[in-house]
Amino acid sequence: MNHFQTILSQVRMLLSSHRPSQVQALLDNLLAEDLLSREYHYALLHEPDGEALARKISLTLMEKGDPDLAPLGWIWSGLQAPAAERDSGYKDPGGSGQHTTMELGPLEGGYLELLNSNADPLHLYHLYDRMDLAGEEELELCSEPDTDTINCEQFSRLLCDMEGDEETREAYANIAELDQYVFQDSQLEGLSKDIFIEHIGLEEMISESVEVLEEAGQKSQKRPFPEELPVDLKHRKLADPLAMPVVTSAFLVGLVSDSSAQPCPSPPALFNKEPAPSQTRLEDTVPPSSSLLSCLSLPAGPIQIIPTLSTLPQGLWQISGAGTGVSSILIYQEDEMSPTQCPAAHEASSKLPKWPESVEQFYCSLRNKYQAKPAGPEGILVEVDLVRVRLERSSGKSQDRELTTLDWAERQPARGSLGEVLLASSNHRRPRETQVIAVLGKAGQGKSHWVQTVSWAWACGQLPQYDFFFCIPCHCLDRPGDTYRLQDLLFSLGSQPLSVDDEVFSYILRRPDRILLILDAFEELEAQDGFLHSAGGPTSAEARSLRGLLAGLFQRKLLRGCTLLLTARPRGRLAQSLSKADALFEVAGFSAQQAETYVMRYFECSGTTEHQKRALALLQSQPFLLSHSHSPTVCRAVCQLLEALLELGDEAQLPSTLTGLYVGLLGPGARDSPPGALVGLARLAWELGRGHQSSLREGQFPSAEVRVWAVAQGLVQPTPGAPETKLAFSSFLLQCFLGAVWLALSSEIKDKELPQYLALTPRKKRPYDNWLEGVPRFLVGLVFQPRACCLGALAGLAGSASAVRKQEVLTRYLKRLQPGALKAGRLLELLHCAHEALDAGLWQHVLQGLPAHLSFLGTRLTPPDTYVLGSALEAAGRDFSLDLRSTGVDPSGLGSLVGLSCVTRFRAALSDTVELWESLQQHGEAKLLRAVKEKFTIEPFKAESMKDVEDLGNLVQIQRTRSSSEDTPGELPAIRDLKKLEFALGPILGPQAFPKLVKILEAFSSLQHLDLDSLSENKIGDEGVAQLSATFPQLKALETLNLSQNNITDLGACKLAEALPLLAASLLRLSLYNNCICDVGAESLAHVLPDMVSLRVLDVQYNKFTAAGAQQLTASLRKCPHVEKLAMWTPTIPFGVQEHLQQLDSRIILR
């Protein structure tokens, strides 16, 4: 079987039947699955030839995918499969159960081939349907294919595509000419002239009103003269209009006056006509509305469509065009209206359809449920920012995906309100397809806080695109052995379960596009890993396991068309399945201003507004805790401790560590606890954490007294929507702290096992699962800080005696570590542990081991990381250089690090650095600005994207602006000191970006190494070489020029040879490896070789010159005693000739 032809035919069909935005979505899917490189993806997006695009996509699928599954599988999972694949149960209009399968490829040939082909026009029409007709059991449509599969949106889209696409217009013109030829014959008297009306399911309508259609279908018995035919055969019209409207089960066809002569008619005037006895009364079927009438221009004649879809305004659409005496189609599909639509629609007519009373009551109860805010600090809602992110494969051996660390300037904050964010993320949403949005963030970053904000925003009417909103905490779902129905998920779980009847449920099922479903804390369902590959049926009534229910939602079989929003941590098995989400966001946490707002509102809600200013002053006096306040969880814990301290008096002070913060919170309650309560709860927290769990049941507590005490102290709290016996720790960070308390106090933990829980040195066998990621810092803090104010305050001095031995074990382990040998992430964790310890000896040991050059390339730097790193560098008393590229460090953190006097050199993203310079200039910090400019370096620089070239150009532009200023003369050190520049953009972007690079090359007067070689070949070509040669007069320090694999021919080689004498005094190495240089180019290089007095190495291997060119080079080499090596092997020269030349001169290198 020829797999390529099979794939190619289906790809052709797919591309021909979808709009450009959907073709782009297909290419985006291929890019997301790593089947395309970014450069190739960019090239395919700009491919003008449709046939070439189809062949390139087919070759990609053949090379990297399963040829049997690629066309119909996950490659274009969001796009619609060919119609022939999904219409197995479809019946043709003729009533037969068999339906002719259309060829998977465009019809070719003339008119007669098109007429005699097996392609059914109705089948072709269904290509515009975005829904699996065989699985739409939820929509409860009638089973007649000619009435329930053509809705107003599809029909309008078909007509618009006919008008806007030239190829489609030509195809329909062919059919129109066939129709004109065939149906003008006198033997075909009585047949309709419009071939499309015959094939879009109007046979039953014709049979219901024979008299009307006979009148409308009268034709002349004679074939007319050519001058009597319509001028434009593409836009034919029926000869006579319909006499009066006709109603079928789902659509209405009727008379509309000529729109070219009259304005859009008023619907009531049309509806008040008396219908025939055999027809349905229109006044009872179609709601009158005149204020919502809109007109669109379409040359096919005036077609009046009246949709009442929930996603469209109520009223009429009139599609009109020029022409006289034409018939039209008036279409109305019955549906109810959403009360959340524009209020003007309510005022337009009191007779507009409304929700059933039971649905109205359910909507009100749902709105009241989410509108109520919890009392006290729980009800504080500060909207956190979202940032668009993407997942990429990790650099290690595992295939796990992790969040890409973006530079600060690359971050794309989701602008606008919540409604605008959700609406913007659905711009590329395919019609009638479920949209999956994932909101990621570490524990405590405010994901659940953001979900509360979304819930409240919907209840207050800020999300008008959704009529129904359901928020389900995932810890309510993970119950082994339970089975669920869809109505259980929507109504029975979560906080305040709601009771609904079948009418409400069926109403909701018919409108999935108006549903927003949120699954909060998705990582709680880690046990359900693999649900994407489980079986999930389309029916909603049957009970199934949780895995099957999730499979139905994510495979777009249940609630198909809804918006599914997930919140989850970026780590874990389930997070890997989120790479196929339609939109990915990350919770950015609190900014400094948002943290300040939260503190003010906290004390406002607690009724102690007099403490607001004092609380802010205390927080600002502890910059470490202030940096941690970007986490809403830590910010709330700080507020709780501040509230307790301020009640004691004005001498209150905040601790300087996270360990001290939680000891201050738990200490007073621990002193009044039942015996062993804290240790028992700490053990429970540790054991649950080892199993990746944070919720617990009543029977798991050591005793009822411990449970009552833990609830009273706020350490555990009931989980919303779960049974009353199920509780959860109030925060993930608190669970980490309690787990560290158990490790510090327990005698069951062997001393030699304690270092593994710091997770600083990975173990090859049985590595420690650091799910409780906050444990290492808390453990070191609890063990090393003075016992009287730390462990002693929690468990008493007697109970904490075992911590002395554990401190000795950890001290020996930490002092054996070599900080310079640790990776960037583990080095930061070591700095945090040393900071939590408050031990001067340990702190100094870590500082002494810091290397002079610290690279954090690709490692996320949060505000606490920035603070601890800056403190360590400042206390070390030595000079350092920093690499802060791809760290996501914020501008204030970047300024605080590079502004340190001990930092002499730093590298950061060019865009971030320029933003920092502009900020310092605006704030008038001229001295710091000069220092930062002097420290910034880009040596060596590698351009791997168009953004890199643009950023480099911006830097050169800043220097040129600086040079033109009288008060700041001179070059920027970053440009002045650049010695090595690599260019690796590949064959697609390379030729586009290279001219931009050439324009700025002359600014780098100290450049010594210019590498234009790339594994994927830049292919700058002869034109690029000519442009580069023009810059040689300014590149006087250039020593190495690598032009390998750039598709250079004789023309480029000659241009290069003419300009090479300008580099005669400096150039040491020249590489033209793997180009297309022939004998003419080799001869030009041989001619200039004696003039290159400084050249030591010339590489011309794998070119296309013959023995003649090789002999020219060998002869010239004899005149160049300074040349040390000439690499000249090429497959176009016989090996014997090459050996002979090598014998003549041993400096010639083969292979």
Side-chain angles (χ1 to χ4, degrees), residues 252-270:
L252 170 75
V253 177
L255 172 66
V256 178
S257 59
D258 183 13
S259 61
S260 64
Q262 301 177 11
C264 298
S266 174
L270 182 65

Side-chain angles (χ1 to χ4, degrees), residues 762-784:
R763 299 170 56 185
K764 295 182 179 179
K765 296 183 178 179
R766 299 179 61 187
Y768 167 62
D769 180 13
N770 190 27
W771 189 78
L772 293 172
E773 55 189 10
V775 164
R777 305 177 190 183
F778 284 131
L779 177 59
V780 173
L782 289 169
V783 170
F784 279 88

Side-chain angles (χ1 to χ4, degrees), residues 12 40 81 86 121 235 449 475 481 525 593 607 620 636 741 779 803 835 848 987 1030 1033 1054 1079 1081 1146:
R12 283 172 175 166
Y40 200 41
R86 57 184 176 81
H235 305 137
H449 180 94
H475 52 69
L525 304 181
Q593 184 178 2
Q620 292 169 357
R636 181 182 176 188
V741 170
L779 177 59
H835 180 268
Q848 291 174 3
C1054 293
D1079 290 337
S1146 60

